[in-house]
Amino acid sequence: MFTVDQLIHSGLFTLVNEGEDTQREITVPFCCDLLSMAMGKAPAGCAWVTVMGNMNTLAVASLTDAACVILAEGCSLDEAAQAKAKVQGITVLKTQLPIFAAALAIHQQLSEASL
């Protein structure tokens, strides 16, 4: 089992907002920048890696029950989304890594935790 808290403290990503349930298990990395597709395909408990740092991303993360959101490619939350992440208790991290590399890093952490 690999939790959001472990991801926060892994040193892989920079914490933007610490959500309410950091003891939640991360089930799988999920990559998608098309919000309508993410709404239908993001699995519950995923670590969602995207470049979309806006309010709609947080709404989709909440709707799909994502464990956390990782903003890749140096993207960040806009001011309104930053405030909304705090209110909704959504964990958001960021990285300069490309989307695939960020998801691969999460996958490797999940694999190591399952040994």
Side-chain angles (χ1 to χ4, degrees), residues 32-100:
C32 187
D33 291 325
L34 186 58
L35 297 179
S36 59
M37 182 175 282
M39 234 179 346
K41 302 226 180 230
C46 70
W48 179 17
V49 186
T50 183
V51 296
M52 303 294 292
N54 59 42
M55 295 273 272
N56 293 335
T57 301
L58 298 175
V60 172
S62 181
L63 177 71
T64 60
D65 199 24
C68 61
V69 175
I70 295 97
L71 299 171
E73 309 272 352
C75 293
S76 58
L77 291 178
D78 61 39
E79 191 174 309
Q82 175 79 36
K84 191 68 166 179
K86 289 181 195 255
V87 169
Q88 289 188 329
I90 298 172
T91 297
V92 180
L93 301 108
K94 68 179 182 176
T95 183
Q96 294 294 322
L97 293 172
I99 291 171
F100 177 80

